[in-house]
Amino acid sequence: TAGDQLLKLITGTMMKTVGEHGFVVRLAGDEFVILVDKMTDDAFADIDKSLRSAIGKATLKIDMLDVCRTASPGFIKLKRGMSMREAVALADNALLLAKAAGKNRSQSVQQRSPHLAPRLPSVDAVRHALQNNEIGYHVQPILRGSDLQSEGFEALLRWSLPSGEVLGPSQFLETMTKA
C-alpha cells in the first residue's frame, strides 16, 4: 500500500540520517524513537535537525501526487547499564512529549515523566478485546538497513481499538496475562 511505501521511505531516511550514531526503533504504526549513544549535545542537536529536514524532503510519488511528511521524534541518550526495555520506555515518553508539542518538533528526555506513563487497560477490557478479535498479529517485513531489502518477516502483537487506534503490547500485555 501507499502507507507501507511511505513508512519504508521514512524508515530508510531515518536509518540513513542517524547512521552509526544510534538506533531507530519503530514502536507502532508511524511511531519511531531514536536511541543514541556517546554523543555531544551539539552533535545531538545536529542529528535532530538533519533528521527532521531529511524526512521533510523525503517524497513519495503516488499517481500524480507527491506525499511528504514531517516528524516529531523522541530522542534519548543511552546510559551505561540501561536495559533496552528502559531505553525504549524512556524514548516512548520523549515521543509522547514531542507529539504533544506539535508538528515537526522533537523532544529529548533523560528521565520519565510520571504524568505521561501509559495507563494499563482493565482485565475486562482485554477480555472483551480478545472475544471480539481486536487483539491479533500483524506481519511486517524485516528490512536490511544498508539497502532496505527484505530479510524476512516478523509477527507483531497489536490491539486494534474500534476507534482506529492501534496499541502495542507494552500497552496491554501485562493486563492480558491476567485475563
Side-chain angles (χ1 to χ4, degrees):
T1 68
D4 291 334
Q5 290 175 349
L6 187 59
L7 278 174
K8 287 178 187 177
L9 176 67
I10 290 173
T11 302
T13 300
M14 292 174 75
M15 291 172 67
K16 183 178 177 184
T17 304
V18 172
E20 58 190 44
H21 298 292
F23 303 95
V24 175
V25 179
R26 181 178 176 203
L27 295 180
D30 63 350
E31 294 182 347
F32 294 87
V33 294
I34 295 128
L35 312 174
V36 296
D37 189 25
K38 299 177 185 173
M39 188 176 283
T40 67
D41 288 341
D42 288 342
F44 191 76
D46 289 344
I47 287 284
D48 171 32
K49 186 177 179 182
S50 296
L51 181 66
R52 288 187 290 129
S53 174
I55 289 172
K57 292 176 185 172
T59 303
L60 178 66
K61 191 148 198 84
I62 301 172
D63 295 324
M64 302 293 287
L65 182 65
D66 288 337
V67 177
C68 58
R69 303 291 300 167
T70 59
S72 299
F75 286 91
I76 67 156
K77 290 183 184 179
L78 296 173
K79 297 177 185 174
R80 183 177 298 272
M82 181 183 280
S83 72
M84 187 55 75
R85 179 179 289 231
E86 290 172 295
V88 171
L90 188 60
D92 187 35
N93 199 233
L95 172 66
L96 291 172
L97 289 168
K99 289 174 94 173
K103 285 188 172 193
N104 204 28
R105 299 185 191 259
S106 64
Q107 183 69 45
S108 168
V109 297
Q110 297 308 312
Q111 63 185 20
R112 244 179 132 154
S113 299
H115 69 279
L116 287 178
R119 293 187 187 130
L120 294 177
S122 69
V123 171
D124 288 337
V126 172
R127 281 189 185 128
H128 181 266
L130 288 167
Q131 291 169 348
N132 291 305
N133 294 319
E134 294 173 9
I135 296 176
Y137 288 97
H138 296 254
V139 178
Q140 75 178 24
I142 299 171
L143 303 177
R144 188 172 39 237
S146 59
D147 59 6
L148 298 180
Q149 293 299 308
S150 177
E151 291 187 328
F153 294 88
E154 62 183 342
L156 305 171
L157 185 63
R158 297 290 184 253
W159 181 353
S160 298
L161 298 173
S163 67
E165 182 180 4
V166 178
L167 303 179
S170 66
Q171 297 170 290
F172 65 88
L173 196 56
E174 183 179 330
T175 305
M176 188 174 168
T177 59
K178 296 173 186 172

